[in-house]
Structure formats: structure tokens, C-alpha cells
Amino acid sequence: MRRAVIAGTGSALPKRCVTNAELAETVETSDEWIVERTGIRQRYVAGEGETTGTLAADAARAALEAAGVAAADVGLIVLATATPDQTFPSTATKVQAMLGIDDCVAFDVQAVCSGFLYALTVADGMMRSGTADVALVIGSETFSRILDWEDRGTCVLFGDGAGAVVLRAEDGPTDPTVARGILATKLHADGRHNELLYVDGGPSTTGTVGKLRMKGREVFRHAVVNLATVLGETMAAAGLDPADIDWLIPHQANARILEATAKKLGLSPERVVVTVDRHANTSAASVPLALDEAVRDGRVRPGQLLVLEAMGGGFTWGAAAVRL
Ligand code: COA
């Protein structure tokens, strides 16, 4: 059976790290409040010359190197972002040019914090149907550029960064208990909740980029319920039991959401990869950033079953069961 297998991972963070204490100098907040409510201690913020595109290209180069794949062999780039370098063309085509790839399929996917799960699902489908044998799936964001830095309810929660995976199409066994690669994905969207998490601008409405607005408490409530449901659906679609999960690689929005989700799955906290304390919420970049960290520090190993999940603006949410 032809499946998309993760052949390598990579990530990139901006140079500048901003602590909670530094933020408390400009908005009325405290390290204690932020840590207690979210688990966040610091975040990275893009500086001059650092964009969604440059971070994405750095993450992609690292993933290609880890996979031992030449850029010229990439047939597909799917880049998830809600903060593209330009309204058009897609940031994926900018990354393509930065990597020196003359011709391939390249486009962006916009599903905010669930973007990486959407991008992975699209790439998986295209690879199974034969569009490409090697793909780059990237999540990259510079949310610092759409934050209202005077709104303490949102500006403390987000950070910038990028993560990438190289997918390679491989023929393998059908049995999901031994097969490598993307075993199942599930995606959802419910557009009725736009006003709970959105950006108050856009090319076709205000002609401006806009700033992020969020009703945090309502988002929190939806996140816990939706994530638990989609994780169950994904495991059922893969033909696997939640007890088979080696690692949960969740979207990193809030440590309390991670704890609640793990508890609902009956998964011990040691099986959850957590980066929210150091990266904050990097939207579409958070899942591949966490994955790359856990691969590089040796926690996540070949043959293990990973479950990736995310929920974001729209609302959109999704999960993927992947054996490394
Ligand atoms: N520092 C200090 N106080 C703050 C603050 C900050 N950075 N941000 C908000 N507050 C205040 C609020 O003004 C409010 O004060 P009030 O009661 O006097 O009005 C109080 O803290 C409680 O605010 P509330 O929003 O109810 O807190 P909360 O416990 O729900 O925590 C979030 C807020 C945002 C941390 C939490 O709701 C959350 O993480 N939500 C999910 C967000 C998310 O995951 N978004 C991304 C999805 S992709």
C-alpha cells in the first residue's frame, strides 16, 4: 500500500527571544499570571529580515538535510500559514525559489492553527494519487505582525516560528500496527464561530492586514471538546486503539488544554510533547516545531505511533495518526 512516510523533520525560530517579564514592561501583566493560565514563559519574535518565508525556507532546508533528500527531488510544497509574506503570490512559491527548485507544485493552505494538519492531509492525498513522490509540508507563521501589542489578552499568547517535514511515498504493509507513514487523518471546520477568533482586516474587506481578536475563554471550551472527539475519530479511522499511542504531538496553545486533552485520552503527561513554555502559540508552525524537537532530542523514534492534533480559527480542527 502506498503511503506518505515522514523522512525528515526541521524547524526554525527567530533570533530574538522575548520573556514574560519583558512583556510586563509594556502591558499590564505578570510572569506569574501568564505561566499560571497558559504555561508560557517566553516566545520568539521575528526581527528585520525574518519573515514567514525565510523561517519556512530554513525549516525546509533542515528537514531536507535530515531526510537526505535533494531540494531538486521535491515535487510538491504545501505551506500552511495565516501570515503570508504577501497577499499573493503564495509563500510556498517564495520558499520554492529560495530552495532553488525550478519546477514543482507549490501552494499555501490557510486553516490558521490547524493549518499543518490540513496541509499534511492535502499532501498525503496528492501523494497517494501519484501527484508527487517527495513533498515538503511546512507550517510557518509570524503572528507577531498581526498582534495588537496593547491587548494583554492576546499579545502574551503567540510567537513566531516554522516547522517542516519531508514526506516520501513508499509502498508498505496494509496492517496499521506495523505500517509506517500517515495512517489516517480527520479534518473538521465550523464557520459559525468566526467572531470568537479572527483578524479584523483583510484584502477584500478593509484593505488592511488587521489585528488578531479572540474571546479566549470560549475558544478554550470548544478546543477541549473538539480535540478529544477528533482524536477518537482518527484512531478509529486508522484501526488503532488510543492505548497504542506512543506520543501525542499537540498544537501548543495552552498547557491546560494539553493536560485536559491527554486526560480525556487516558494518556500520561509524559507521553505529550510540550513546547508551549518556550515557543508560545506559533499557530500552524507549532505541531511541526514540537515534532522536530522530539525527533532531534531522541524522544520520538522510528516505528513509534504519533498522533498530531490542532484546533484553530474558523473554527478548524483535525488530527493525524502517523507511524514514524
Ligand atoms: N495578564 C493579566 N491579566 C490578564 C491577561 C494578562 N495577560 N489577559 C487577560 N487578563 C485578565 C482579564 O482581563 C480578566 O480580567 P477581569 O476578570 O478583570 O475581566 C481575567 O484575566 C480573566 O480573563 P479570562 O480571559 O477569563 O482568563 P482565562 O482563565 O480564560 O485565561 C486565556 C485566558 C486566553 C489564557 C485562556 O482563555 C486561553 O488560553 N484560551 C484559549 C486560547 C487559545 O487556545 N487560543 C488559540 C487557539 S488556536
Side-chain angles (χ1 to χ4, degrees):
M1 187 172 179
R2 183 176 159 100
R3 293 189 201 271
V5 173
I6 294 180
T9 65
S11 60
L13 290 162
K15 285 184 207 72
R16 182 169 166 234
C17 178
V18 177
T19 62
N20 291 346
E22 202 175 331
L23 282 184
E25 289 169 15
T26 53
V27 285
E28 207 182 320
T29 189
S30 65
D31 178 52
E32 194 188 5
W33 191 96
I34 301 170
V35 172
E36 192 193 305
R37 302 289 178 116
T38 70
I40 297 166
R41 294 181 182 278
Q42 61 175 46
R43 73 285 296 138
Y44 291 84
V45 174
E48 213 183 318
E50 291 174 322
T51 68
T52 293
T54 66
L55 292 168
D58 287 346
R61 281 188 202 98
L64 287 167
E65 194 182 337
V69 166
D73 293 335
V74 172
L76 169 68
I77 302 174
V78 189
L79 187 149
T81 190
T83 48
D85 284 12
Q86 294 160 273
T87 301
F88 80 80
S90 70
T91 306
T93 57
K94 294 192 72 172
V95 171
Q96 178 199 12
M98 283 188 254
L99 296 178
I101 302 170
D102 292 339
D103 185 20
C104 71
V105 179
F107 60 96
D108 288 357
V109 161
Q110 217 284 43
V112 205
C113 297
S114 315
F116 187 75
L117 271 304
Y118 269 70
L120 198 69
T121 304
V122 169
D124 177 43
M126 292 178 77
M127 291 178 81
R128 280 175 194 255
S129 65
T131 300
D133 292 327
V134 176
L136 263 172
V137 181
I138 308 168
S140 185
E141 304 276 18
T142 44
F143 262 48
S144 64
R145 300 202 166 123
I146 56 163
L147 290 175
D148 175 352
W149 286 99
E150 290 175 3
D151 174 16
R152 66 177 183 174
T154 54
C155 76
V156 304
L157 302 174
F158 296 90
D160 301 336
V165 299
V166 173
L167 297 179
R168 195 163 35 209
E170 284 181 14
D171 285 318
T174 308
D175 179 358
T177 62
V178 291
R180 290 185 68 212
I182 299 173
L183 304 175
T185 63
K186 279 279 168 189
L187 299 176
H188 291 276
D190 181 350
R192 291 172 297 179
H193 302 292
N194 186 300
E195 83 290 353
L196 297 182
L197 179 51
Y198 66 103
V199 168
D200 63 4
S204 184
T205 49
T206 58
T208 62
V209 171
K211 299 288 180 208
L212 183 149
R213 307 291 171 204
M214 179 172 73
K215 296 198 174 99
R217 196 176 288 180
E218 283 88 340
V219 175
F220 192 106
R221 204 163 40 80
H222 282 277
V224 176
V225 175
N226 290 344
L227 290 173
T229 309
V230 77
L231 284 165
E233 290 170 358
T234 305
M235 293 308 286
L240 293 166
D241 191 273
D244 300 331
I245 300 171
D246 289 303
W247 291 100
L248 181 65
I249 320 266
H251 172 50
Q252 310 281 324
N254 182 314
R256 288 187 293 147
I257 297 179
L258 304 191
E259 284 157 22
T261 310
K263 205 167 166 187
K264 283 207 169 186
L265 269 181
L267 209 64
S268 83
E270 296 81 58
R271 300 273 108 192
V272 183
V273 176
V274 179
T275 56
V276 68
D277 52 331
R278 285 155 294 126
H279 299 166
N281 181 347
T282 56
S283 186
S286 90
V287 168
L289 261 168
L291 173 63
D292 184 50
E293 179 173 294
V295 166
R296 282 174 194 268
D297 69 20
R299 268 179 292 171
V300 170
R301 293 190 305 276
Q304 290 188 326
L305 179 65
L306 321 179
V307 175
L308 284 45
E309 51 92 330
M311 143 104 189
F315 291 135
T316 55
W317 63 104
V322 184
R323 193 178 304 284
L324 206 59

